[in-house]
Amino acid sequence: MGERKGLGFLSRIKDAISEAVYGIALHGQVASIKRMKMYTEYLFMLMTIGDMMGIPIVPPYYTLRLLPYMVPNIKGWKLRMLRERDVTDIISG
Amino acid sequence: MTGVVFDTPAPYILLGLIVYAIAYLYYSKYVDRNIWQADPTRPTPAKLYFDGVEYFPVSRYVLYGYQFKSVAALGPIVGPMIAVHFYGWLPALLWLIIGNFFIGWVQDYSTMMMSVRREGRSMGPIVYELLGGRARTILLTYLVFYLIIIGAVFAWVIVSVINGVPGSFIPVVVILITGYIFGHLVFRMRVDVVRATLVALILVFAGIILVTAVKDLRVPSTNFLDPGVTGTQPASWTVLFWLLVLSVIYYLAAITPMIRWLLPTVYVGYLPAIIALVIVVIAAVATFITGVKIHETRAAYVGGASLEYFDPIKYPTTGPIWPMLFVTIACGAISGWHSLISTGLSSRQLEYETDARPVGGGAMITEGIVGLSSVAAIMVVARGAAQPGALDYPRGAATLVNALIPLGPDTWLYFYSVFVIIMGLITSMLFVRVFRMVAAELFPAPFNHYLVSPLIWIAIVVFLAWLGSWTNLWLYFGGTNQLLAGLALMVVAVFLASQRRPTWYVFWPGAFMIVTTLAAILWETYVYTAHLMQGQILSVQRPVAVKFGESLVHFTNALSAIFGVVLFILGLAMAYYLFTGYFRYRSQAEKAS
Amino acid sequence: MSRIGFKYVFERMPELRIVIFAGKGGVGKTTSSAALSYKLASMGRRVLCFSTDPQASLSDIFERNLFGKGEIEVAPNLYVLEIDADKRIAEYVESIRRKIKEMYKIDEIPREVEDYIESAVAEPAMYESAVYDAMVDVVAEGKYDYYVFDMPPFGHGIRMVAMADILSKWVDKIFEARKEALELDAAAARLKGEKLLEYEDQMLKELEYIRGRIVSFSRLITDAKRTAFTMVLVPERMAILDTEKAIEMFEELGLKMRGVVVNQVYPPQLLEDPRAPDYLKKRVLAQRPYVREIYEKFRDLIVAVIPMLNREPKGLEAVRIVAEELWESSLDLGALEALTGR
Amino acid sequence: MPIVRGGQRFIFVGGKGGVGKTVVASAIALDFAMRGEKVLLASFNPVHSLSTVFQQNLSGGVIKPVEGVKNLYAVEVEVEDIVKSYKEKISKIIREFLRWAEIPIDPKGFIDIATTNPAFQEAATFDKMMDIVLKEGQEYDRVVFDTAAVANAIRLIGLSKIYGLWLQRVIKSRQEALNLRYQLSWRKDKVLEEIKKDPLLLDLLSLHERYVKVRENLSNPSTTTFIFVTIPTILAISVVKRFSDMVKAYDIPSGGVVVNMVIPRSEAERDETGFLKSKWEEQERNLALIRELFGDNILGYIPLYPEDVVGIKALETLIRDLEEFKP
């Protein structure tokens, strides 16, 4: 945001319009794709560190090898996966 | 330009624009500051629950565009088309202007704000928390009805345009295929989005130009399966044929991977749609210059307040101006569907609380402008026979636009026909998908299976669109949609009451919408019941009745009457929960202070 | 024509690299493994004899403590590995902990991650997984001309093989999911018009590595040209039943049993020998019906017959005797048929 | 004198594969039954052989009376049903997570793999064993377990604490997950109900509860004893030694060692081929080792019979020999 200040009114308008056009044309789809990715990740996580939610699925030997890369995602993953959803959550997009 | 500009749509549209400007610049600002006390420093759910998928801050311009795209479909086009026909353009225009001012944006903005203050929760959970599980179930049931009825109406509109404008289906097929190509280009072949878009645009416009230029491509002809039928009013076999074509498209949309076809098609479809919308708004204002006049057969006011309109047999497809006008025009003035959009994704991605006003309020007011342009488009074409035709809008829009950009009326007719068809198609394709989700939640096995539930939707939609009366269905749609709006407003009122904030600005609009829509649903039920009791059929159903016997039509009408009763009871129940909830919270708030 | 022995197996299967011995407990799997390894090594090839049996007796057979000592050369070119799975697991887990600490420059592993690691260590199938991975490991290294695996008794032995199947399906699936997730990420980025970074997903790389190992190992042991699954059995009712069930389970896994080794068959001469007591003759006769059953049920599968020895097969000398029998059995199929009394 | 002295209800029979565990377990069970006690003989072998030993159909995974012997009941344990129900539970949970999932890949393959965890088989066997100890077994004076190879047996009866540890951790993870789910829910009442009825957690908790009880039972010298079977070969002896040490280390009462397949001296001496003779000489050295290692713990010797031990008659002979036969 800070960088834009100097650019003047016109270019701000231009940015705003292009952002709005992106919003109309693509934002919803990007959201859908992200959601799909989230579900794909569910599968991945369930199949690897499902034990972490008390769902033992496969022997964790090889999972351990992947564990270091998962460390930063674990919290967000749990939050997303365990949040109760409603149909009205998924209407948009 | 003859100096007398009041015979063009321009001054009336301008009036609307001015009122909308006031709504946005003053009224919405007042509400935002004084009632919600939006605070840009208060962390929004996007920041609090950041997860990079659903919760993350997005610029207000992007969200505005997204919100607008999500709320604007065929609604602001079809509603005015019917309303102008039955009540004249002035009541339609006034309701669009005043409705949006006091109710429309209020709902979109307030539900969004409520969701922001409720951890980004969507309507279902909020209703559950405020009013209990039964209220939520009613809400979801409403959703089911809504999805079915709107599907039927859109199916009918699509079919009548395809049928009335021969060859218009060809560019639509081109768009559907282009959608697939675009998806393939971007997701499989990794072409960048700008280039892929160019390819898509070229293909889409090539389709439209092709069918305009090569007259031989304008097949199949109107009512090609019903020889002997004249005029553009669609006849039974042809309608059924096109409905089955749509069924295939819908089913594919429901079960194929979204990313491969549905999403890219939505994108590709919106490309001409955005252009169409922008042009028609400009053309409507530009009638100052172009001089396109309000058609001589269009009166400012036709009727609707007279006692005549209280005769359901004589005016079966309309009714008294109150409550019927207020459900005829939903989107553009006020639409309950938006409350679901506002609380679905937008509220989780607002960067600042203060963005809710441009995103929620701004998008709705923009949709109001689309509604105004539709009124303008209908104003300038001749009023047909007893029934409004689905072709009125493309014809009117073509008339308006061709005066500004004279590419030939045919070109614009095809352009706007394709626009109407594709908007209807895209939204229906998304709706069948939503229905699938709702079914997964509400229906028992095996109807909740993802391969089965879309079939249920398609079957009912085809049945209703084929045998029902579309204007009546539209009124049911308006009924459900507006009732949803009333409920949403009331939910906000309940929420504000629970927060001990002023509620008048949502309570009264909400109460008005609830009472009006319940009355409208009751009226529709009465229309069907009256026909049944007197052994009558609605005029639009006559061709079907002649071919397949009246009993089938009576059956359909009985079904519609039952629909009405169910909707009414559900609405009443919901209203009960809301009002008691509201007063409970109010009295609690009073006790506490 | 009727001569049998592993010599002929190797002649027919020039690409054969891995021989796996499975079977019920106490039928002589470990002995057979040791013997075949010994024979191959004595021919100048580098051989690894690997016991995956937690009751491993290679130490007993070679009369030397080999448990958990790594690959030990017990005779020229003959290497023996008896892994200490618990130790292996401990080391493995420690390396994971280290990696996490290094990657994120932290001194302490986050609690939920540490909990997970500890629970993983205690998982009931962890032991088998570790043994399995050790197998994968030695084969992947490829230091030897031949690998001879001594499998744990029945259930676990089959499961070890089934594991190859499950694990490679598993790794395929999660690989697919991960890839799809990255695809979707890239798709979203492309729609946003963001510069498309050539994805360097470390996890995908790691997965590719794991997959490469598991899949190539699984391919190797299911390749009938390069791997010979061999059941060892003795002429007893239970051993025959076990073998039948094992063959059935193998087929369910889409695998083919290469052959069976019949162990502890009394030499037929004993019957004619007037010096043998009735007691011994009775035992020989008691074995006959089972020999017949084996002959009838598994005739085409029999690759070697080892006669009943007059001493316990331990120590290199005894191993050598068994090795010769395994390589070229003194009892050929004809002799076996004669034994069945037909 | 019964083969197994002491009043323990649960008798586990283990040893290296091929040493005749099933036959010895059958003999012990028959011995008690003939002395008027109500006995259950439970086979946990992957391929059952009780039917062969008793020459009657005892298969099917249910307890059946052994015909021809009063008071003797037998079961060849099957775990397929438990494994199946466990798989269904896991599959249901995964599907629940993916209820609204719009994913480009088919989850079915995942669910298939997810439900082939080799640990399920083991857990199910463990489950059955606990049921027998805590439920069915309570109706019998004696329960004789014919276990699979000793390594499994050790794990099966939970001697290694590791299984309990794992259970505790999984339970903890499940509880934490459910707790988080509750926090993130809006239908608190409904979710609370669901959490209370979470099939996975209930299973795990009951498993753990039973596990603790079984452990108590098994480490109590007055209720449980562990019988080892060996044959006079170094390989078999070292296995028994290793496991009896392990059992001691875990404070599990050891009931003694049965030495099977002993070549009678008289027969060896009669053999002029030298075949038996050299075997016997080796055996003598090994028997000396057994005496040295287990001394008073040796419950008896069983001669190597010329024929298979099949049928109740043969078992009766074996029981007699166990008391009388001396190498």
Side-chain angles (χ1 to χ4, degrees), chain D residues 91-107:
Chain D
S91 138
K92 207 175 147 218
I93 286 176
I94 298 177
R95 285 185 195 283
E96 178 66 23
F97 271 123
L98 299 171
R99 190 160 40 144
W100 294 321
E102 294 269 5
I103 35 175
I105 34 183
D106 182 13

Side-chain angles (χ1 to χ4, degrees), chain B residues 49-80:
Chain B
Y49 306 102
F50 183 93
D51 69 1
V53 177
E54 289 168 305
Y55 292 81
F56 61 100
V58 171
S59 125
R60 76 187 89 146
Y61 301 109
V62 171
L63 277 187
Y64 162 81
Y66 166 74
Q67 174 88 6
F68 173 69
K69 169 246 147 182
S70 303
V71 300
L74 274 192
I77 289 158
V78 177

Side-chain angles (χ1 to χ4, degrees), chain C residues 25-42:
Chain C
V27 292
K29 291 183 300 291
T30 312
T31 310
S32 301
S33 308
L36 183 65
S37 310
Y38 178 85
K39 180 68 195 178
L40 290 168
S42 69

Side-chain angles (χ1 to χ4, degrees), chain B residues 369-510:
Chain B
I369 298 173
V370 174
L372 294 180
S373 74
S374 309
V375 172
I378 312 295
M379 280 162 106
V380 300
V381 288
R383 185 170 189 265
Q387 285 293 315
L391 290 179
D392 287 356
Y393 177 80
R395 284 187 188 136
T399 311
L400 282 179
V401 173
N402 193 50
L404 186 70
I405 313 166
L407 295 178
D410 250 19
T411 314
W412 290 115
L413 178 65
Y414 274 92
F415 184 65
Y416 277 94
S417 299
V418 169
F419 162 70
V420 169
I421 298 168
I422 209 70
M423 288 290 270
L425 258 180
I426 287 172
T427 9
S428 302
M429 281 153 88
L430 290 170
F431 281 152
V432 65
R433 207 114 189 160
V434 174
F435 185 84
R436 202 184 100 180
M437 311 284 178
V438 181
E441 169 80 4
L442 286 184
F443 293 4
F447 306 111
N448 57 1
H449 192 268
Y450 82 103
L451 291 175
V452 178
S453 56
L455 289 176
I456 301 173
W457 185 83
I458 290 169
I460 303 177
V461 160
V462 167
F463 181 79
L464 288 179
W466 191 40
L467 297 174
S469 147
W470 79 285
T471 45
N472 292 71
L473 279 176
W474 178 261
L475 295 176
Y476 266 153
F477 154 70
T480 27
N481 192 21
Q482 303 299 71
L483 192 54
L484 219 53
L487 304 178
L489 283 163
M490 245 345 174
V491 171
V492 178
V494 172
F495 173 75
L496 284 173
S498 75
Q499 304 291 303
R500 293 171 209 168
R501 305 289 317 150
T503 58
W504 55 268
Y505 94 107
V506 275
F507 179 81
W508 292 114

Side-chain angles (χ1 to χ4, degrees), chain C residues 24-27 30-31 54-57 60-61 86 111-112 115 118-125 127-128 153-156 159 163 166 169-170 173-174 176-177 180 184 235-238 241-242 245 266-267 270 273-280 282-284 286-287 290 308-314, chain D residues 15-19 46-49 52 104-106 108-110 113 116-119 121-122 149-152 155 162-163 165-166 169-170 172-173 176 232-236 238-239 242-243 261-264 267-268 270-280 282 286 303-308 310:
Chain C
K24 186 180 171 299
V27 292
T30 312
T31 310
Q55 315 179 34
S57 337
D60 295 324
I61 287 176
D86 289 327
R111 192 189 56 88
E112 53 192 350
D115 277 358
E118 278 171 26
S119 129
V121 171
E123 214 259 359
Y127 188 93
E128 278 168 287
F154 192 73
H156 287 254
R159 251 162 48 184
M163 192 111 95
I166 295 167
K169 277 188 190 144
W170 171 77
K173 275 285 166 194
I174 59 167
E176 187 193 348
E180 202 58 58
L184 290 172
E236 277 174 20
R237 149 130 278 115
M238 289 322 298
L241 287 179
D242 266 9
K245 179 139 189 207
Y266 281 106
L270 277 178
D273 197 328
R275 294 172 300 167
D278 275 358
Y279 171 82
L280 191 56
K282 262 197 204 160
R283 276 206 65 83
V284 179
Q287 212 183 45
Y290 300 121
M308 177 72 93
L309 299 180
N310 59 1
R311 49 176 292 200
E312 198 180 352
K314 59 193 214 35
Chain D
K16 188 181 183 314
V19 296
V47 177
H48 297 293
S49 52
T52 314
I105 34 183
D106 182 13
K108 198 185 160 293
F110 284 84
I113 296 164
T116 43
N117 187 347
Q121 195 82 24
E122 192 128 356
V150 182
N152 301 0
R155 207 142 72 177
I162 213 151
Y163 189 83
L165 185 74
W166 178 71
R169 295 223 179 263
V170 177
K172 195 173 147 223
S173 306
E176 280 176 0
T233 65
I234 294 293
L235 265 60
S238 60
V239 167
R242 216 176 302 152
F243 287 115
M261 301 186 192
V262 179
I263 300 167
E267 301 292 348
R270 220 172 289 155
D271 176 27
E272 291 168 25
T273 58
F275 186 86
L276 273 186
K277 193 78 178 278
S278 53
K279 256 185 151 15
W280 182 79
E282 195 177 54
N286 293 341
L304 175 70
Y305 296 107
E307 284 114 9
D308 282 352
V310 166

